[in-house]
Amino acid sequence: DTDAQGRVRAVDAEADIELSGAGGRELRAEPREVAAYLREITEDAPPRLTGFVWFRLPVPGDRRGWSATTLAAVIAGNDLVAEFATEWLAQDGGTTDIWIKNVGNIDAAPPTHALPVHCPYADALAGFRVESAASGLQLRPEFDMRLRPGERIHAGWTRCSSAVNDHVQPSR
């Protein structure tokens, strides 16, 4: 939490951001920034540098820490890829459920997903909202959520005038 002059008044660790008050904000160690720093320091490493210690190892249920997949990709020096696939599952009654899956190798926020023009009706679930755009409807995340590699989320449903292709690419 910060005061009117921007000075830190309190630091909450592990608490929901809402408990910090209006001046609260969440800070994260971004995988790409940490990977860039590790590359930079190892290129011109001090002579006695033998390694790095990461203080927050992945544990189940920790939504603020990195997933094991992300940590392994950073340690290995792999290219860090945030990529999402949209899964369309037709339901009885003419609706289609929309699932978004992280198929990349880092924890990342899902992008806004444009729905096909022939899908004029939709509703959002799980932290998404439906918005109108010039090209039709979109599913937009309502807050800064992160999906771990392999994780999928039921983002909403739509009603379309014809079938939806299995792998429509999301807008970025």
Side-chain angles (χ1 to χ4, degrees), residues 39-171:
R39 276 192 306 276
E40 181 181 315
I41 200 165
T42 53
E43 286 172 3
D44 190 23
R48 298 180 87 146
L49 177 68
T50 59
F52 299 94
V53 176
W54 189 251
F55 75 96
R56 191 168 192 152
L57 295 176
V59 295
D62 182 358
R63 298 304 298 174
R64 290 196 170 106
W66 294 353
S67 67
T69 302
T70 297
L71 182 59
V74 170
I75 290 170
N78 295 341
D79 289 336
L80 302 178
V81 179
E83 185 177 351
F84 294 85
T86 307
E87 300 175 42
W88 306 86
L89 300 173
Q91 302 297 313
D92 294 336
T95 62
T96 300
D97 285 344
I98 304 164
W99 289 81
I100 298 170
K101 182 176 183 178
N102 182 345
V103 295
N105 67 348
I106 64 169
D107 307 342
T112 297
H113 285 66
L115 300 183
V117 176
H118 68 278
C119 300
Y121 307 104
D123 199 1
L125 302 167
F128 285 81
R129 70 177 179 267
V130 176
E131 292 183 348
S132 283
S135 61
L137 298 178
Q138 301 178 0
L139 284 176
R140 178 179 300 277
E142 287 190 294
F143 54 87
D144 185 27
M145 71 172 68
R146 302 285 171 148
L147 293 182
R148 295 170 182 264
E151 186 177 13
R152 66 192 270 251
I153 190 168
H154 190 186
W157 62 267
T158 187
R159 186 176 298 273
C160 305
S161 58
S162 60
V164 180
N165 295 335
D166 270 343
H167 299 284
V168 175
Q169 290 301 312
S171 58

